[in-house]
């Protein structure tokens, strides 16, 4: 039987805390990094979902996939079109699998976190911002590797008067550096704010509906509004993964072609 | 201590006003989409992803404010 006392959530932020399920203890070294936490468990669930999406739809490795394979083809086609439009040129094909991987991971973990009482993987600020910082760092290193010192031409827009160059370089460099933070912060803040909003509204309505029988009936009207919020959150879960993809492709274009 | 608590709630309220800008931004994005589609309906398929992107970007800036207000209300002592 469901124990309602233990599932009561004291603070709306409790849902983002990760517990340790399994840990290794040795007297001679620190093995904390091998703990199986909620975070690790949900990462494995996301991996399992993505792999099974591909395995169950490919129709026993025949040439044509099953009917369900059209979902995979749609996602792939959307990604190809988006990245091709954003990056242009000939190099988009090299980086398409990389960006597609990010898209699938963020999409599946966003949608997985919409299941009630589950864990929001993309609301973990440390994880998502370190992910975006690593992407940014890798792109910057690739830009230097590819263009050498000409890479700094990225910070000077074409047709700038010489007087304005020092100021513009500062501004462009700031905006380039802030990309590392803003890419991850956008996703994590969206998901976190959405989950907090849903749990706060749900908690308020739960209190309101449990007063007496009249408020239980009256409470169905705000329940419809909360349903709209939940639908918006589902939309945001998908839109944010798309936004990550588009921005990553456009950053990649900046690094590859410099303007 | 009561003063700190009051300041916390006032700060949460003030930071939520940043959502005004996000609301105006989202409205501008969709107004421009309606304008563009009504002028040239055949461009709908190209304009819609751009509008969704603009919606998400402008919404994210507002959500930073909302997040700060949630943090002030529920985090820490």
């Amino acid at each position: 039987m469901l124990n309602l006392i233990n599932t009561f959530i004291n603070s709306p932020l409790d849902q983002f805390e990760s517990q340790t399920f399994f840990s290794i203890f040795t007297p001679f070294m620190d093995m904390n990094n091998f703990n199986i936490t909620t975070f690790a468990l949900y990462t494995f669930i996301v991996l399992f979902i993505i792999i099974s999406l591909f395995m169950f739809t490919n129709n026993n490795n025949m040439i044509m996939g099953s009917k369900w394979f059209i979902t995979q083809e749609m996602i792939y086609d959307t990604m190809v079109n988006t990245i091709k439009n954003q990056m242009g040129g000939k190099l988009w094909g090299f980086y398409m699998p990389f960006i597609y991987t990010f898209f699938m991971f963020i999409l599946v973990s966003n949608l997985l976190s919409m299941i009630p009482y589950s864990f929001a993987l993309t609301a973990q600020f440390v994880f998502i911002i370190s992910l975006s910082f690593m992407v940014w760092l890798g792109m910057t290193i690739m830009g230097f590797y590819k263009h050498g010192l000409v890479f700094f031409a990225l910070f000077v827009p074409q047709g700038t008067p010489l007087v304005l160059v020092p100021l513009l370089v500062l501004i462009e460099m700031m905006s380039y550096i802030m990309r590392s933070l803003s890419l991850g912060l956008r996703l994590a803040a969206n998901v976190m704010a959405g989950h907090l909003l849903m749990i706060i509204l749900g908690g308020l309505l739960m209190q309101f509906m449990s007063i007496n029988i009249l408020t239980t009936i009256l409470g169905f009207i705000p329940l419809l509004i909360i349903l709209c919020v939940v639908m918006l959150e589902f939309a945001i879960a998908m839109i944010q993964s798309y936004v990550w993809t588009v921005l990553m492709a456009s950053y990649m274009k900046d690094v590859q072609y410099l303007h | 201590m009561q003063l700190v608590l009051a300041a916390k709630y006032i700060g949460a309220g003030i930071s939520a006003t940043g959502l005004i800008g996000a609301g105006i931004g989202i409205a501008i994005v969709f107004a421009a989409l309606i304008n563009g589609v009504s002028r040239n309906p055949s461009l709908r398929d190209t304009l819609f992803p751009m509008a969704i992107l603009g919606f998400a970007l402008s919404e994210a800036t507002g959500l930073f404010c909302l997040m700060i207000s949630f943090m002030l209300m529920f985090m820490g002592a």
Side-chain angles (χ1 to χ4, degrees):
Chain A
M1 189 190 156
L2 189 67
N3 188 352
L4 277 176
I5 295 165
N6 281 348
T7 51
F8 184 76
I9 293 174
N10 294 311
S11 156
L13 286 164
D14 275 2
Q15 56 173 327
F16 301 118
E17 276 173 18
S18 72
Q19 283 106 24
T20 308
F21 296 137
F22 177 76
S23 62
I24 304 167
F25 178 74
T26 52
F28 50 87
M29 67 185 283
D30 189 13
M31 299 281 270
N32 269 338
N33 292 331
F34 294 97
N35 283 356
I36 303 289
T37 54
T38 321
F39 181 84
L41 176 74
Y42 273 83
T43 318
F44 281 123
I45 293 175
V46 167
L47 177 71
F48 176 74
I49 289 175
I50 293 175
I51 289 176
S52 52
L53 270 179
F54 280 97
M55 274 173 61
F56 292 144
T57 54
N58 76 347
N59 203 8
N60 298 325
N61 292 326
M62 290 196 218
I63 291 173
M64 281 178 70
S66 63
K67 280 178 194 165
W68 293 92
F69 195 64
I70 201 146
T71 56
Q72 300 294 316
E73 282 180 345
M74 284 280 285
I75 294 173
Y76 184 83
D77 194 53
T78 314
M79 282 301 100
V80 164
N81 281 329
T82 311
I83 295 164
K84 204 196 271 181
N85 285 337
Q86 281 295 321
M87 284 187 72
K90 287 177 183 167
L91 286 172
W92 63 269
F94 284 111
Y95 301 105
M96 194 266 160
F98 177 50
I99 302 174
Y100 176 77
T101 313
F102 270 96
F103 176 77
M104 283 306 279
F105 177 75
I106 293 168
L107 180 72
V108 171
S109 53
N110 272 350
L111 289 179
L112 183 70
S113 70
M114 288 302 294
I115 298 171
Y117 287 99
S118 80
F119 179 75
L121 205 57
T122 41
Q124 300 294 313
F125 277 82
V126 177
F127 169 57
I128 292 295
I129 290 177
S130 56
L131 200 68
S132 79
F133 179 73
M134 283 300 140
V135 166
W136 175 84
L137 196 67
M139 282 179 183
T140 312
I141 291 171
M142 193 167 63
F144 276 114
Y145 177 74
K146 191 166 170 145
H147 302 287
L149 288 177
V150 186
F151 178 73
F152 287 109
L154 185 65
F155 301 137
V156 189
Q158 274 172 339
T160 318
L162 195 64
V163 191
L164 282 176
V165 163
L167 190 68
L168 268 176
V169 166
L170 268 180
I171 294 172
E172 291 280 319
M173 194 177 267
M174 272 306 287
S175 86
Y176 184 79
I177 291 168
M178 284 309 285
R179 278 176 185 182
S180 65
L181 194 69
S182 71
L183 183 65
L185 194 64
R186 182 176 296 118
L187 174 65
N190 255 297
V191 175
M192 190 179 176
H195 282 256
L196 279 178
L197 189 69
M198 281 191 294
I199 198 164
I200 289 167
L201 288 179
L204 281 178
L205 192 66
M206 172 85 183
Q207 279 183 355
F208 177 69
M209 283 174 91
S210 57
I211 296 173
N212 56 34
I213 192 82
L214 182 68
T215 56
T216 311
I217 299 163
L218 271 179
F220 277 99
I221 302 161
L223 200 61
L224 283 176
I225 300 168
I226 295 180
L227 184 68
C228 295
V229 172
V230 171
M231 281 159 68
L232 180 75
E233 290 308 318
F234 268 102
I236 281 173
M238 289 179 261
I239 288 171
Q240 282 304 316
S241 52
Y242 177 74
V243 166
W244 175 291
T245 317
V246 169
L247 289 178
M248 217 169 125
S250 98
Y251 296 166
M252 191 68 93
K253 182 199 74 181
D254 281 353
V255 166
Q256 293 293 331
Y257 305 124
L258 304 178
H259 302 305
Chain B
M1 210 55 225
Q2 293 292 317
L3 202 62
V4 174
L5 201 66
K8 202 167 111 174
Y9 288 135
I10 291 169
I14 292 172
S15 78
T17 55
L19 285 164
I20 296 170
I24 295 172
I26 294 167
I28 288 174
V29 166
F30 281 108
L33 174 71
I34 293 167
N35 251 325
V37 171
S38 63
R39 277 163 203 254
N40 188 353
S42 65
L43 280 181
R44 190 197 167 95
D45 289 340
T46 34
L47 289 182
F48 193 68
M50 290 162 78
I52 290 295
L53 188 65
F55 161 73
L57 291 182
S58 56
E59 199 216 12
T61 54
L63 283 181
F64 294 153
C65 296
L66 190 64
M67 201 187 63
I68 296 292
S69 104
F70 281 149
M71 277 178 176
L72 280 175
M73 278 177 75
F74 299 113
M75 262 188 186

